[in-house]
Amino acid sequence: LDGPAGAYKLFAFFEARAAAEGGEYAFWVDDPAAMPKVDSTVTLWGQDQGLARWLEAKRIKTKPFGADAGARELILVGKVPGEDFAALTKRIEAGATAIFLCPAVFAKNNQPTALLPVATPGALVNVHDWLYQNNDWAKEHPIFKGLPTGLLDYQFYREILGGQFFTGQTPPDEVVAGMINTSNGYSSGLTMAVYWRGQGRFVINSLQVRENLKAEASHPVAERLLRNLLNYY
């Protein structure tokens, strides 16, 4: 679309011989040049090669998880965990910030949150919205900088909203986003939160951020969320 970034509306009306109602549809255009710049070097924990290639394509500097930890190390974890969770936890306690993009890395022995580094790991709940959509929400927070918050617009966030949330964990230090489902009973929990541990902190997330980081066509909301996460430490 040859035009500035922002919200647009498409109108479709039928004048004759159509049973469809038509109407209006909202969509959004983003400008890659307006994405937040990431100046920090990112330490990658785990062998998520797709994520590594995406960061390289976006000219975000990375390094492997090794012995040269900095005073304020920024660690990113994709869909593949590293080998030693204890070593990662020590880095966090020493002052690093770790961002967990995918809840699957916490699973062990059929326990979805067994490796979550909190006193009470709680549960990871799968929600199947059979008819009605979940009510997803987000607080005004640096991680959502440049994005709409409050009750999340389904059309805007459609590909980002997942079907999992964290519940029953040790209460986080910062609540960022969550989900409420009332389609068949009631359930609710968090989709993004921040925990402090020692001198550092870590972010847990169940939104579909990693799933929408694709080299050929990244979702702009996913890219902006990740860039905000990398700048929030």
Side-chain angles (χ1 to χ4, degrees):
L1 181 67
D2 185 13
Y8 289 77
K9 287 185 178 180
L10 172 69
F11 296 88
F13 297 101
F14 299 95
E15 294 183 352
R17 297 186 179 183
E21 182 180 348
E24 68 177 64
Y25 179 80
F27 66 96
W28 291 262
V29 172
D30 209 337
D31 181 1
M35 285 289 175
K37 186 179 179 181
V38 178
D39 294 320
S40 305
T41 297
V42 179
T43 297
L44 295 177
W45 189 71
Q47 299 299 316
D48 189 341
Q49 299 301 328
L51 180 59
R53 288 192 296 269
W54 186 89
L55 293 165
E56 181 181 6
K58 297 296 180 178
R59 298 183 179 180
I60 298 175
K61 294 176 290 185
T62 65
K63 65 178 182 179
F65 187 85
D68 56 338
R72 294 186 61 211
E73 188 178 20
L74 175 60
I75 303 171
L76 182 61
V77 185
K79 61 183 180 180
V80 182
E83 296 179 358
D84 191 349
F85 241 97
L88 175 61
T89 302
K90 289 181 180 178
R91 291 281 187 93
I92 296 171
E93 292 174 343
T97 294
I99 299 165
F100 294 97
L101 292 181
C102 303
V105 300
F106 300 124
K108 183 180 180 181
N109 297 331
N110 296 322
Q111 297 296 323
T113 59
L115 299 177
L116 188 62
V118 295
T120 304
L124 182 68
V125 176
N126 294 303
V127 176
H128 303 287
D129 48 347
W130 59 280
L131 177 60
Y132 304 105
Q133 298 297 329
N134 302 316
N135 293 315
D136 286 82
W137 53 267
K139 296 174 64 176
E140 290 188 11
H141 191 278
I143 293 174
F144 275 81
K145 184 178 180 180
L147 295 167
T149 53
L151 187 62
L152 299 185
D153 186 321
Y154 178 75
Q155 285 185 213
F156 186 89
Y157 284 100
R158 180 176 53 198
E159 292 83 9
I160 307 301
L161 304 178
Q164 294 182 311
F165 62 78
F166 295 95
T167 185
Q169 285 80 25
T170 301
D173 294 281
E174 298 177 38
V175 170
V176 181
M179 175 196 296
I180 301 170
N181 182 280
T182 57
S183 62
N184 187 10
Y186 177 88
S187 59
S188 65
L190 300 179
T191 53
M192 190 177 294
V194 181
Y195 285 89
W196 283 89
R197 184 173 177 121
Q199 299 300 311
R201 58 184 172 179
F202 62 92
V203 182
I204 60 172
N205 167 70
S206 64
L207 296 173
Q208 302 288 288
V209 175
R210 172 64 186 89
E211 293 79 357
N212 283 283
L213 298 175
K214 301 176 182 179
E216 62 278 8
S218 290
H219 196 294
V221 175
E223 179 171 348
R224 188 172 291 270
L225 279 171
L226 179 57
R227 288 175 178 270
N228 286 344
L229 282 161
L230 296 177
N231 286 329
Y232 177 64
Y233 84 105

